[in-house]
Amino acid sequence: MQMQPRHCPNSRAFVGLALLLLLVSLASPASSCTAQERSSLLQLLAGLSRDGGLAATWRRDRDCCSWEGITCGGPDGEVTDVSLASRGLEGSISPSLGNLTGLLHLNLSHNSLSGGLPLELVSSSSIVVLDVSFNRLTGGLSELPPSASALPLQVFNISSNLFTGRFPSAIWEVMKSLVALNASTNSFTGQIPVTPCVGAPSLAVLELSFNEFSGNIPPGLSNCSVLKLLGAGYNNLNGTLPDELFKVTSLEHLSLPSNGLEGAINGISKLRNLVTLDLGGNELTGSIPESIGDLKRLEELHLEHNNMSGELPSALKQLHKSRNN
Ligand SMILES: *[C@@H]1O[C@H](CO)[C@@H](O)[C@H](O)[C@H]1NC(C)=O
Ligand SMILES: *[C@@H]1O[C@H](CO)[C@@H](O)[C@H](O)[C@H]1NC(C)=O
Ligand SMILES: *[C@@H]1O[C@H](CO)[C@@H](O)[C@H](O)[C@H]1NC(C)=O
Ligand SMILES: *[C@@H]1O[C@H](CO)[C@@H](O)[C@H](O)[C@H]1NC(C)=O
Ligand SMILES: *[C@@H]1O[C@H](CO)[C@@H](O)[C@H](O)[C@H]1NC(C)=O
Ligand SMILES: *[C@@H]1O[C@H](CO)[C@@H](O)[C@H](O)[C@H]1NC(C)=O
Ligand SMILES: *[C@@H]1O[C@H](CO)[C@@H](O)[C@H](O)[C@H]1NC(C)=O
């Protein structure tokens, strides 16, 4: 049989395309993943019982840097981001992701992942942002060895899962870079962290609402000099608001509703940067201090469902009046 030379009306366009492809591949030589990285990511896939169609797209290309949800970067073109939020993933989180030595951001939020959160990820020496919120993760957070070296983790969101057990205290000794911890809407028990900011001085957000924490508000929070948000509502906290809490003048949002907190709130006006204050649904007593009017930035105040008495401070009446005008 004789091969007929095929007539190609688009040969010029074809050469142009080939040239373009060559240029593109020359322009981004660093962006190809190592066999180890590909293997770590494929192990993640292997641990999933539903992958939301990822396998189909991932298996199409050998270079994992071009896979959906994966970003490579840095001087060596390593995998730096794994962003697989809201992908309908089911199954467990593979500890193999801890082998991605250049990984900075891992976001698996809004899936239906179950099982535990691998220690390899929590104690990763590269991850800066770890968000596994809105899943069905269970078990406790493993105690990290206090001897472990300082971790780079800054944002840790484990909110809205099924975690139980006490909050490991040694976390604060190794997570020295922590800026935001969001552990809300789980079933953690025991005391809330006693002196989190001695180990993690940059802590700005501590969100622990909707858990089963008990005991008092620890005086050791006074060491939190840049804490902006403290949320521990809907727990079983009791005792009085300690004077030391009123030293955390960086606080902008203090939210402790629906606990069993008692006593008066006389020192509250020392928290002069407060924008929102929610102490509703406790057993607080005494009157609302006149000095509450000193909180010039205050926009939201909840003190309902307590056992407070006395006159409404004139400053608040003023506020009411000016809002109505
Ligand atoms: C990747 O991590 C897993 C679990 O941590 C480990 O068992 C495995 O040996 C690692 N694989 C490679 C190629 O390093
Ligand atoms: C993770 O992804 C979700 C959905 O895109 C986003 O809302 C969330 O802010 C991300 N988490 C972090 C820590 O950036
Ligand atoms: C999880 O919490 C972090 C820090 O508070 C926040 O930046 C992130 O947006 C949260 N993620 C979701 C899905 O809300
Ligand atoms: C904590 O995470 C939840 C998601 O579960 C989010 O809605 C909330 O805004 C986060 N809180 C803070 C202070 O980042
Ligand atoms: C914590 O704060 C207290 C005063 O509230 C202070 O005496 C103590 O030295 C501080 N500790 C550290 C480690 O900063
Ligand atoms: C607070 O509750 C604990 C139990 O969780 C109890 O042992 C303690 O006596 C209570 N403290 C106050 C001041 O009511
Ligand atoms: C509420 O306050 C009133 C009067 O101050 C007092 O008689 C009552 O016992 C208090 N109730 C509770 C639950 O503390």
Side-chain angles (χ1 to χ4, degrees):
M1 203 168 85
Q2 221 189 320
M3 294 286 280
Q4 287 286 64
R6 264 175 121 196
H7 176 67
C8 179
N10 280 328
S11 64
R12 215 179 287 170
F14 176 77
V15 169
L17 181 67
L19 200 64
L20 186 71
L21 287 176
L22 182 70
L23 285 176
V24 166
S25 64
L26 283 178
S28 50
S31 173
S32 75
C33 75
T34 64
Q36 146 106 28
E37 288 177 317
R38 186 167 53 244
S39 146
S40 300
L41 288 167
L42 289 175
Q43 278 180 57
L44 169 71
L45 213 52
L48 302 176
S49 50
R50 280 191 55 185
D51 66 16
L54 272 188
T57 72
W58 283 16
R59 296 231 160 88
R60 222 175 277 153
D61 195 334
R62 272 189 73 73
D63 181 8
C64 71
C65 291
S66 65
W67 289 355
E68 252 180 78
I70 308 301
T71 307
C72 297
D76 303 321
E78 299 158 299
V79 172
T80 54
D81 283 44
V82 174
S83 303
L84 298 172
S86 305
R87 293 273 178 163
L89 308 181
E90 286 179 23
S92 57
I93 303 176
S94 171
S96 69
L97 289 179
N99 295 350
L100 297 171
T101 52
L103 187 61
L104 301 174
H105 303 116
L106 175 59
N107 193 337
L108 298 172
S109 81
H110 289 282
N111 283 293
S112 302
L113 297 163
S114 51
L117 179 61
L119 183 61
E120 287 82 350
L121 301 182
V122 179
S123 65
S124 154
S125 55
S126 68
I127 297 179
V128 174
V129 176
L130 178 53
D131 190 342
V132 294
S133 62
F134 293 100
N135 278 287
R136 297 180 198 147
L137 300 173
T138 52
L141 287 182
S142 328
E143 193 70 58
L144 296 167
S147 56
S149 52
L151 303 177
L153 192 63
Q154 291 177 15
V155 175
F156 189 32
N157 192 343
I158 52 173
S159 154
S160 300
N161 277 285
L162 305 168
F163 289 115
T164 52
R166 301 176 80 84
F167 215 84
S169 55
I171 269 194
W172 312 101
E173 278 143 50
V174 287
M175 292 191 182
K176 294 190 192 303
S177 315
L178 208 58
V179 173
L181 172 74
N182 192 341
S184 68
T185 321
N186 280 287
S187 299
F188 286 113
T189 51
Q191 247 216 311
I192 69 174
V194 177
T195 50
C197 303
V198 171
S202 308
L203 194 67
V205 171
L206 182 57
E207 176 55 276
L208 305 169
S209 305
F210 296 98
N211 277 286
E212 291 160 28
F213 287 111
S214 57
N216 57 13
I217 309 281
L221 287 173
S222 65
N223 294 89
C224 294
S225 57
V226 296
L227 189 66
K228 285 190 169 172
L229 182 148
L230 174 62
Y234 305 90
N235 280 287
N236 304 316
L237 304 177
N238 63 6
T240 57
L241 292 182
D243 284 342
E244 288 82 355
L245 180 66
F246 304 135
K247 291 181 185 157
V248 189
T249 52
S250 53
L251 272 177
E252 294 175 6
H253 307 279
L254 178 61
S255 179
L256 303 168
S258 292
N259 280 291
L261 300 171
E262 316 160 327
I265 60 163
N266 294 331
I268 204 76
S269 53
K270 290 185 184 143
L271 297 178
R272 56 179 184 271
N273 288 306
L274 279 184
V275 178
T276 60
L277 174 62
D278 188 351
L279 299 171
N282 282 287
E283 291 153 31
L284 299 170
T285 49
S287 57
I288 303 177
E290 191 67 38
S291 60
I292 202 148
D294 298 345
L295 298 177
K296 297 296 182 215
R297 299 181 61 190
L298 197 64
E299 289 173 7
E300 225 181 291
L301 174 65
H302 294 276
L303 295 169
E304 71 279 3
H305 298 292
N306 276 291
N307 204 14
M308 302 181 82
S309 49
E311 284 260 318
L312 192 65
S314 51
L316 290 184
K317 285 184 203 155
Q318 219 70 44
L319 191 74
H320 187 65
K321 223 183 266 170
S322 63
R323 285 270 162 83
N324 280 350
N325 285 347

